[in-house]
Amino acid sequence: MDKLLHFGAYALLGVISQAVVGFHSLTIGLILGTITELLQQFIPGRTVEFLDWTANVLGLGLGIGAFFLVRKVL
C-alpha cells in the first residue's frame, strides 16, 4: 500500500509539474523524490527505501506521460 501511495502522489506531481513547468518537470521531480527519500534517514521511525524512490520515479513518469497523452487526445 505504501508504494501505491508513493506512485499515486508522484503521478499527480508529474501531471501538475508538466502542466506548470514543462520541460524541466522530470528533472524537478527526480530531484524532489531523491531529496525527500534521503532526508527520511534523519526522521525517527522513517527509513530510506530504494523501492519507495522507484515508486516515485515510476509514478512521475506515468504522470508526465499521461499529461502528454491527454493533451494529444484533446
Side-chain angles (χ1 to χ4, degrees):
M1 185 62 170
D2 175 52
K3 306 307 180 252
L4 189 57
L5 292 174
H6 278 265
F7 184 85
Y10 274 80
L12 182 60
L13 175 68
V15 171
I16 293 170
S17 65
Q18 186 62 43
V20 174
V21 179
F23 180 74
H24 296 291
S25 63
L26 180 61
T27 304
I28 292 168
L30 288 173
I31 290 170
L32 181 64
T34 302
I35 289 172
T36 57
E37 196 58 38
L38 291 174
L39 287 176
Q40 288 186 42
Q41 65 186 321
F42 303 110
I43 300 170
R46 302 297 307 247
T47 58
V48 176
E49 290 188 41
F50 178 73
L51 290 179
D52 284 349
W53 180 83
T54 303
N56 295 348
V57 171
L58 292 174
L60 182 67
L62 177 81
I64 292 171
F67 174 84
F68 285 115
L69 182 64
V70 168
R71 190 175 78 172
K72 185 174 183 165
V73 170
L74 298 178

